[in-house]
Amino acid sequence: MNPSIASQRIAALQQAERERFIATHPRSVAQAEAARAHYLFGVPLHWMRDWPTPATLAVHSAQGITLTCADGHRYADFCLGDTGAMFGHSPAPLAHAIAEQAAQGLTCMLPSTRSPAVGEALQRVFGLPLWQMALSASDANRFVLRWARAITGRPQLLVFDGCYHGAVDDTLVDLDPATGRTLPRPSVLGQVHNHAAFTRVVPFNDLAALEAALAAGDVACLLAEPALTNFGLVPPADGFWPAVRALCRRHGVLFVMDETHTVSTALGGYARAHALDPDVLVVGKAVAGGLPCAVYGFTHAVGARMAAAKAAAPEGHSGIGTTLAGNALTLAALDAALTHLHTAPNYRHMLALAAELEQGLVHRIARAQRPWTVTRLGARLELQFMPHTPRHAQDVRDHAQSELEALTHLFMLNRGVLLTPFHSMMLVSPETREGDVAALLAVFEQLLDELAR
Ligand code: PMP
């Protein structure tokens, strides 16, 4: 069989799927139209338009991994709010904790009596002893970068090509493959500061480039995900992280792991499972079960340097923190999440079922003789329309097949299965059942059959 699929075939199938969506989702279509009166692009957050549907899918409710849309269709959700709902939508212990706290004060700009227990639970789950809170992973990363520059007195940051750490200006930069220099990311709106001057970018899995970027002794920290998860899924090569950590230590560079997505790898995240020993760790999105919350943890040594930097600064705004961070409602949710959701049995279930899903996909891809790959990191899987596991972001760019990807998403959505938009990520939650995996695989098989016609 010819492994490449004619673009006319993809376009014809996509057109049929668009028509099918419109015919079967009259309420979503009507809401999308009505919402244009009050929202830019008809949605409260403009990314909500980045799904491959001709009109935005309006959600009526979500429970477990079942999402019900305005038209009453039910979906097996493998997107899970792009990890925010990794433990399922509205898990019962979380819903109860939020309801109980909601009647007892939401925010006081003072710690609730729960904070000592939550601090202990954070150390128990993630391993680091000291913590601060923020409302989003973007905020947490931004604050960590500020601390890192403050305590090292160094201006430069180091990130990997293809990284995404949230709406954090310093990290929204690209690598110029021709020169190896940093470029501002052209898609970023309203840029006036030259972040490329203060951030270095190197390819993932490239130790020589990383060492060269650290050589001048002016880098405050390396901010990295344990695997790239926002540019496809790019896992680390064997031995990569111990070597990176050794280089960071040798050059006095803080080693910061952003586990916002890789918390799906194992209980406590990838860094803990692989003993990476970071100086600072960031977790957002699912950390409190999907309520707006992010945390950053650090060692006693880093904490002492933070305290010294704060003491040495004049009184006034630090540029770190926002008013609602660490509020009582969030602490109640975080407490419940750390106790009832971040648990060994939950991860055992997630990892076992994700392995089953991986096997099922790989088997069907092989049978259909498609040159595609499935990459799995714990409970997170990525379907990649390329013949090997990518090694760095350029590898992903070189093999991009956006029309096929968009068709895959819409085809599956029209048959009751949600994948994560932007790429083809599937996340398995403690609420995912074998029947959900079987449903995904059956729809995937239908897609393979259609593509073979
Ligand atoms: N870090 C990583 C690794 C992420 O993937 C994201 C969002 N996708 C963020 C940080 C930012 O999260 P938020 O949008 O919730 O601030």
Side-chain angles (χ1 to χ4, degrees), residues 47 82 136-138 141 164-166 225 229-230 258 260-261 285:
W47 307 347
D82 194 13
S136 68
S138 299
N141 281 323
Y164 186 69
H165 297 288
E225 288 190 274
T229 69
N230 286 291
D258 178 355
T260 298
H261 278 177
K285 295 196 182 186

Side-chain angles (χ1 to χ4, degrees), residues 131-200:
W131 294 88
Q132 285 285 278
M133 295 193 185
L135 290 177
S136 68
S138 299
D139 269 357
N141 281 323
R142 204 175 1 255
F143 301 148
V144 165
L145 296 183
R146 203 178 268 282
W147 280 118
R149 282 172 163 147
I151 69 181
T152 60
R154 297 174 175 186
Q156 293 285 339
L157 307 173
L158 185 60
V159 296
F160 288 110
D161 184 31
C163 74
Y164 186 69
H165 297 288
V168 182
D169 287 358
D170 300 85
T171 63
L172 293 169
V173 289
D174 286 331
L175 177 67
D176 180 347
T179 63
R181 299 172 93 92
T182 310
L183 297 172
R185 199 167 280 180
S187 53
V188 177
L189 297 174
Q191 300 210 57
V192 291
H193 299 291
N194 183 14
H195 294 288
F198 293 102
T199 305
R200 292 197 187 119

Side-chain angles (χ1 to χ4, degrees), residues 76-350:
D77 188 0
F78 286 83
C79 166
L80 296 168
D82 194 13
T83 311
M86 180 180 80
F87 295 110
H89 295 286
S90 293
L94 190 73
H96 290 148
I98 291 172
E100 204 170 281
Q101 182 63 42
Q104 296 177 47
L106 302 179
T107 188
C108 310
M109 222 174 71
L110 285 168
S112 88
T113 50
R114 262 181 233 276
S115 8
V118 171
E120 274 173 35
L122 284 168
Q123 173 159 16
R124 174 172 49 74
V125 172
F126 297 109
L128 283 154
L130 296 174
W131 294 88
Q132 285 285 278
M133 295 193 185
L135 290 177
S136 68
S138 299
D139 269 357
N141 281 323
R142 204 175 1 255
F143 301 148
V144 165
L145 296 183
R146 203 178 268 282
W147 280 118
R149 282 172 163 147
I151 69 181
T152 60
R154 297 174 175 186
Q156 293 285 339
L157 307 173
L158 185 60
V159 296
F160 288 110
D161 184 31
C163 74
Y164 186 69
H165 297 288
V168 182
D169 287 358
D170 300 85
T171 63
L172 293 169
V173 289
D174 286 331
L175 177 67
D176 180 347
T179 63
R181 299 172 93 92
T182 310
L183 297 172
R185 199 167 280 180
S187 53
V188 177
L189 297 174
Q191 300 210 57
V192 291
H193 299 291
N194 183 14
H195 294 288
F198 293 102
T199 305
R200 292 197 187 119
V201 191
V202 294
F204 196 61
N205 281 325
D206 186 337
L207 282 173
L210 186 120
E211 185 159 19
L214 299 183
D218 55 357
V219 173
C221 76
L222 167 67
L223 173 61
E225 288 190 274
L228 295 185
T229 69
N230 286 291
F231 212 87
L233 181 56
V234 184
D238 282 349
F240 181 63
W241 284 123
V244 170
R245 184 188 52 215
L247 284 170
C248 285
R249 299 268 143 93
R250 182 166 351 127
H251 291 278
V253 172
L254 291 170
F255 179 42
V256 183
M257 297 260 79
D258 178 355
E259 293 257 32
T260 298
H261 278 177
T262 50
V263 69
S264 58
T265 308
L267 177 61
Y270 185 105
R272 186 148 210 211
H274 293 83
L276 297 191
D277 192 20
D279 298 304
V280 183
L281 184 94
V282 176
V283 198
K285 295 196 182 186
V287 72
L291 212 69
C293 174
V295 295
Y296 54 103
F298 35 93
T299 60
H300 282 296
V302 170
R305 294 171 76 188
M306 288 170 162
K310 182 82 177 83
E315 280 298 307
H317 300 135
S318 62
I320 295 172
T322 56
T323 314
L324 300 180
N327 67 68
L329 186 69
T330 304
L331 275 178
L334 188 54
D335 196 3
L338 292 167
T339 308
H340 301 289
L341 305 180
H342 295 263
T343 65
N346 273 352
Y347 275 88
R348 264 199 300 280
H349 175 89
M350 291 155 70

